[in-house]
Amino acid sequence: MNNSNMKSILTEYQKRRDKNIDLLENRKKEVENLIPEIKDINMHINSIGLSISKEILKGSDKKTIDLLKAEQKNLIEHKRQILKSQNIPSDYLEIKYDCDQCKDTGFLKDGSKCNCLKQIIINNAYKMSNIEKILEKENFNTFDLNQFSEEVDEEMGISPRDNMINIVKASKEFIYNFDKKVEPKKANMLFFGSTGLGKSFLCSCIAKELMDLGYTVIYQTSFNLMEIIEKYKFHRKECTDIDEENFKNLFECDLLIIDDLGTELTNNFTISELFNIINDRLLGDKRIIISTNLDLLQIGNEYTDRTISRIVGNFSMYKFMGKDIRLKQIF
């Protein structure tokens, strides 16, 4: 990522910090107007804090410093009791960060990038700056099971609605266990079935939940995925820092969602690269979700035996069923 883009991103982080500091100051004024005693206590706590710092710099004995710390601790507890008596949460007068991990700086204590910063870089690199707007519309809160029929499918022995209930449950378990060691098949998911049955929508639901938890997520169609790989491998001289970031993130992000597998131009290159990226992420214990309109037999016919072998051995497979939801909404 070039310096101009990074500077713009870090400016946004500064705006976040300024916003949250302003919100804290407003809460302080609100409480101090309601309970004037709190203002005096806050001033006293701060004054003792300065005294502790001075005594440390002077090299004062531990007993003197400990007495000051004890006095400060008693004042903090007294303030907490006052707030509690007024039904004010104990953390109400503490700063609230958008990201608790990096305190809205974008960087962790060891100097490495926080996942929230990594996700912003990913979104910018893949021109996915509108993903937040998409996920506002496509998430578990807006997921409507009533769109799926309750009529039992004779072949499947289950209704589309009950089938979707099972898939949503599995998706939430996937999220819950995301950072836990699980058997390979529970670490990755394959959604397959006809168009318009909610596969991409559910991918968005999972992406939003994990991004909200601080994980980095790349959500790309297989067509775009192959374009990224092809540009990096065959047009290196023309590649920018962003192009290299695009390629690297495919292997390093916490979750890679490959949407619409089978819509890319299938040839020896794309077949080989699909195997490479799946295999590399599996070896690195990096999670993958694939959605496709192809069934398992068609995937086996389109791609190599080793690719389908990796999928069968390392993915939980969920068949989506019913009628095209998007057509139902139109008619």
Side-chain angles (χ1 to χ4, degrees):
M1 171 163 287
N2 61 44
N3 291 334
S4 176
N5 286 341
M6 181 57 78
K7 184 177 180 181
S8 175
I9 290 171
L10 294 180
T11 298
E12 289 302 313
Y13 272 98
Q14 182 62 57
K15 288 180 180 178
R16 286 187 192 181
R17 295 195 295 275
D18 292 343
K19 174 201 71 175
N20 290 325
I21 289 171
D22 288 342
L23 289 173
L24 174 61
E25 290 303 315
N26 290 337
R27 292 197 299 274
K28 283 182 177 179
K29 289 177 182 177
E30 174 194 342
V31 171
E32 288 173 357
N33 288 334
L34 178 66
I35 316 169
E37 182 185 357
I38 291 293
K39 184 175 182 179
D40 294 331
I41 293 174
N42 283 336
M43 290 176 64
H44 198 175
I45 290 171
N46 292 334
S47 175
I48 293 174
L50 288 173
S51 297
I52 291 172
S53 298
K54 289 178 181 178
E55 294 300 327
I56 291 173
L57 289 173
K58 284 164 54 179
S60 299
D61 60 277
K62 185 175 181 298
K63 184 177 179 181
T64 301
I65 296 171
D66 286 345
L67 286 171
L68 288 169
K69 287 181 177 180
E71 183 182 358
Q72 188 182 54
K73 183 179 179 180
N74 289 336
L75 282 170
I76 292 171
E77 177 59 24
H78 180 50
K79 182 174 76 171
R80 191 185 70 80
Q81 292 296 334
I82 293 174
L83 294 176
K84 184 178 179 181
S85 69
Q86 297 293 324
N87 295 317
I88 298 172
S90 59
D91 64 348
Y92 194 67
L93 296 182
E94 296 174 9
I95 191 165
K96 305 291 192 302
Y97 297 102
D98 288 8
C99 177
D100 289 328
Q101 296 296 316
C102 67
K103 313 299 185 197
D104 295 338
T105 63
F107 296 91
L108 303 176
K109 289 181 179 180
D110 63 2
S112 61
K113 291 187 184 78
C114 182
N115 275 359
C116 67
L117 176 57
K118 289 180 183 178
Q119 188 66 54
I120 292 171
I121 292 172
I122 287 171
N123 292 348
N124 286 349
Y126 288 101
K127 299 180 179 178
M128 290 169 62
S129 57
N130 65 333
I131 192 171
E132 291 184 5
K133 293 181 180 178
I134 293 171
L135 299 187
E136 282 177 7
K137 297 177 181 178
E138 299 184 359
N139 56 69
F140 283 120
N141 290 330
T142 61
F143 194 93
D144 184 8
L145 284 168
N146 293 321
Q147 296 183 86
F148 300 90
S149 172
E150 291 184 281
E151 185 178 345
V152 175
D153 182 280
E154 291 184 6
E155 182 183 345
M156 295 286 291
I158 191 173
S159 71
R161 184 177 300 181
D162 286 340
N163 183 59
M164 184 54 67
I165 288 172
N166 291 337
I167 297 174
V168 168
K169 180 182 177 183
S171 299
K172 291 185 176 180
E173 287 176 356
F174 175 85
I175 294 164
Y176 178 77
N177 292 315
F178 193 80
D179 60 351
K180 298 178 177 65
K181 191 70 176 176
V182 295
E183 60 182 277
K185 282 198 173 186
K186 290 187 177 180
N188 308 287
M189 306 179 84
L190 174 72
F191 296 159
F192 68 100
S194 302
T195 59
L197 299 182
K199 298 186 300 295
S200 295
F201 196 108
L202 195 52
C203 285
S204 294
C205 293
I206 295 170
K208 183 180 188 316
E209 292 293 313
L210 289 172
M211 287 169 64
D212 286 349
L213 290 170
Y215 295 103
T216 55
V217 179
I218 289 177
Y219 187 161
Q220 285 290 342
T221 65
S222 60
F223 181 85
N224 288 341
L225 192 76
M226 292 307 165
E227 279 197 331
I228 292 163
I229 296 171
E230 182 180 5
K231 185 171 185 180
Y232 179 80
K233 293 210 166 182
F234 294 125
H235 305 281
R236 292 298 300 275
K237 290 183 179 179
E238 302 165 22
C239 276
T240 63
D241 290 344
I242 290 178
D243 294 323
E244 292 195 12
E245 191 87 27
N246 287 346
F247 181 78
K248 181 179 70 174
N249 286 334
L250 296 177
F251 299 88
E252 295 183 357
C253 66
D254 296 318
L255 173 65
L256 174 64
I257 300 176
I258 305 174
D259 197 23
D260 280 337
L261 179 69
T263 57
E264 77 283 0
L265 176 64
T266 307
N267 54 39
N268 288 337
F269 170 75
T270 56
I271 290 171
S272 175
E273 290 305 321
L274 176 66
F275 171 79
N276 288 339
I277 196 164
I278 290 175
N279 191 55
D280 192 280
R281 288 188 64 85
L282 291 177
L283 291 174
D285 198 25
K286 296 285 188 178
R287 306 298 182 89
I288 313 169
I289 295 177
I290 298 174
S291 82
T292 179
N293 297 336
L294 306 176
D295 60 30
L296 289 179
L297 181 61
Q298 290 170 319
I299 294 174
N301 290 334
E302 288 287 333
Y303 304 96
T304 61
D305 289 342
R306 59 181 186 163
T307 298
I308 193 66
S309 175
R310 290 292 189 279
I311 291 174
V312 170
N314 296 278
F315 285 71
S316 291
M317 290 168 278
Y318 301 94
K319 182 176 181 179
F320 285 60
M321 52 186 288
K323 296 181 180 179
D324 191 321
I325 298 168
R326 288 171 291 199
L327 289 179
K328 285 170 65 178
Q329 290 172 341
I330 294 173
F331 298 106

